Amino acid sequence: MVSSQPRDGFAARVVAVVAATVAGEVVTYGEVAAEVGRPRAARAVGRVLATCGTDLPWWRVVAAGGRLAPGKTERQADLLEAEGVRVDRVRGRVRGQP
């Protein structure tokens, strides 16, 4: 069963940072990790988002270089484009990201 409530301080901080993103804003897992004080924990950010259900705007978080989430590329692209973000669907990346 997927929990919608974070279980620890790290998860709670990740949820807070992601929840504070606004429509059209895109951040990386690494940026979220750095924001919560654990700059080397980008993968852990992904695990938190995978277990928090759909209450968070998870689609605004991408991998380094703007890569979309594997297995969720189409859904993530749809949601980002609906917010005005340019997505290169062929490459599976957000346009304009380094």
Side-chain angles (χ1 to χ4, degrees), residues 28 39 41 78 94:
T28 67
D78 290 343
V94 173

Side-chain angles (χ1 to χ4, degrees), residues 61-78:
V61 185
V62 298
R67 289 186 319 272
L68 302 179
K72 297 182 180 182
T73 303
E74 288 301 314
R75 180 71 178 136
Q76 189 173 21
D78 290 343

Side-chain angles (χ1 to χ4, degrees), residues 10 14 18 27-36 38-39 41-47 49-50 58-64 67-70 72 76:
F10 174 76
V14 168
V18 174
V27 295
T28 67
Y29 295 106
E31 289 170 336
V32 173
E35 181 71 25
V36 302
R38 301 223 2 235
R43 288 184 184 199
V45 169
R47 285 191 294 274
L49 294 180
W58 61 268
W59 59 90
R60 297 177 185 154
V61 185
V62 298
R67 289 186 319 272
L68 302 179
K72 297 182 180 182
Q76 189 173 21

Side-chain angles (χ1 to χ4, degrees), residues 4 12 22 32 37 40-41 61 79 83-84 86:
S4 62
V22 296
V32 173
R40 296 176 55 103
V61 185
L79 291 165
E83 294 183 350
R86 293 177 53 215

